[in-house]
């Protein structure tokens, strides 16, 4: 059974950093691209970033370029999202998700972790 | 970015048929996907590439459309289908999601 379990969320002040982790199991992690998708409170979903199966390629939405870094450790089957220079508008639930067919859709999602950016 | 427009809410009775629409601001070929999200849970893939049923999803769910107009149909609706349904396009970069349609049962 595919499982994605996020951790690392919480309350953080504007301008500070936070790192999210996603532990994967139930599939061969290093065969798949991985992604982060966020959902602001009472709002819709928004793709954040994607990393290729081997970590060689990364893709970001414009609003997080230069501030967020997606990475992975295939030996640990773990995905990361380093978030720097956080802003209030980054407040959201962050989901780890598995993209399929060159990132067109997401077939498995974690339960999500809440990040609140506030002073 | 491609904007996806969905009706905010629908209310139907169990056993009825419901169609949930999603209109794209520009063509997305057949690269429209549908997700179900129940309160406090993560999204779940229902339909990919307009009309393909995801693994383990009941055949009561179906998808149709191409270009700019797409429909998710549930027939018949069951009580457990109470949820918000999101569409997502991946033809244009970046991929984008609709704001969701909240389905309530009468």
């Amino acid at each position: 059974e595919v499982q994605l379990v996020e951790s690392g969320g919480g309350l953080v002040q504007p301008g500070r950093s936070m790192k999210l982790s996603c532990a994967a199991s139930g599939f061969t992690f290093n065969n798949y691209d991985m992604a982060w998708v966020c959902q602001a409170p009472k709002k819709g979903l928004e793709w954040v970033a994607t990393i290729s199966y081997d970590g060689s390629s990364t893709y970001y939405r414009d609003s997080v370029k230069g501030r967020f870094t997606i990475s992975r450790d295939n030996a640990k089957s773990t995905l990361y999202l380093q978030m720097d220079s956080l802003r209030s508008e980054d407040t959201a639930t962050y989901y780890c998700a598995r993209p399929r067919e060159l990132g067109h859709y997401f077939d498995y999602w974690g339960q999500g972790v809440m990040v609140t950016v506030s002073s | 970015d491609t904007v996806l427009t969905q009706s905010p809410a629908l209310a139907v009775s169990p056993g009825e048929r419901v169609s949930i629409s999603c209109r794209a601001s520009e063509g997305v070929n057949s690269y429209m996907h549908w997700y179900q999200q129940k309160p406090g849970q993560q999204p779940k893939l229902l339909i990919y590439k307009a009309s393909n049923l995801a693994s383990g999803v009941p055949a009561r769910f179906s998808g149709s459309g191409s270009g700019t107009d797409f429909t998710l149909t549930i027939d018949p609706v069951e009580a457990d289908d109470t949820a918000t349904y999101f569409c997502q396009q991946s033809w244009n970069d970046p991929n984008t999601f609709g704001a969701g349609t909240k389905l309530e049962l009468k």
Side-chain angles (χ1 to χ4, degrees):
Chain A
E1 179 193 3
V2 172
Q3 285 199 319
L4 301 170
V5 179
E6 300 93 338
S7 60
L11 176 65
V12 62
Q13 293 179 328
R16 304 295 292 266
S17 299
M18 177 170 279
K19 187 171 186 175
L20 306 181
S21 300
C22 170
S25 61
F27 65 103
T28 304
F29 184 70
N30 57 15
N31 282 354
Y32 291 86
D33 296 350
M34 293 297 296
W36 291 95
V37 179
C38 71
Q39 184 172 33
K42 309 289 187 185
K43 295 288 181 65
L45 298 155
E46 195 169 75
W47 166 76
V48 176
T50 297
I51 187 168
S52 61
Y53 68 98
D54 61 354
S56 62
S57 298
T58 56
Y59 311 89
Y60 300 92
R61 68 177 303 105
D62 286 348
S63 61
V64 307
K65 279 181 186 174
R67 300 189 301 121
F68 289 12
T69 303
I70 188 172
S71 63
R72 63 191 297 160
D73 184 336
N74 284 345
K76 295 182 178 179
S77 295
T78 301
L79 175 72
Y80 302 101
L81 184 67
Q82 175 69 43
M83 302 184 292
D84 299 323
S85 303
L86 281 161
R87 307 167 180 168
S88 58
E89 54 264 37
D90 297 321
T91 294
T93 296
Y94 286 77
Y95 295 99
C96 166
R98 191 176 80 171
R100 299 304 310 276
E101 296 195 30
L102 300 179
H104 278 292
Y105 56 90
F106 306 95
D107 66 348
Y108 286 98
W109 300 62
Q111 86 286 352
V113 62
M114 183 69 196
V115 173
T116 303
V117 183
S118 175
S119 54
Chain B
D1 295 1
T2 303
V3 176
L4 303 181
T5 301
Q6 298 183 248
S7 299
L10 288 171
V12 298
S13 299
E16 291 184 344
R17 170 190 171 114
V18 65
S19 293
I20 298 170
S21 66
C22 178
R23 174 164 287 178
S25 61
E26 56 187 324
V28 300
N29 200 316
S30 293
Y31 286 84
M32 186 66 78
H33 324 290
W34 291 92
Y35 301 85
Q36 176 194 64
Q37 186 177 36
K38 296 181 179 179
Q41 295 187 17
Q42 69 268 51
K44 173 187 175 183
L45 178 68
L46 296 176
I47 301 287
Y48 62 96
K49 290 194 292 185
S51 61
N52 296 278
L53 196 65
S55 176
V57 176
R60 303 183 291 105
F61 293 88
S62 62
S64 63
S66 67
T68 60
D69 291 291
F70 296 84
T71 301
L72 171 70
T73 300
I74 311 173
D75 186 16
V77 172
E78 296 182 358
D80 188 51
D81 298 334
T82 298
T84 299
Y85 293 84
F86 293 94
C87 54
Q88 177 226 342
Q89 69 79 25
S90 59
W91 182 248
N92 302 308
D93 188 39
N95 72 72
T96 51
F97 293 82
T101 296
K102 188 173 184 178
L103 180 66
E104 297 180 341
L105 268 64
K106 297 177 185 175

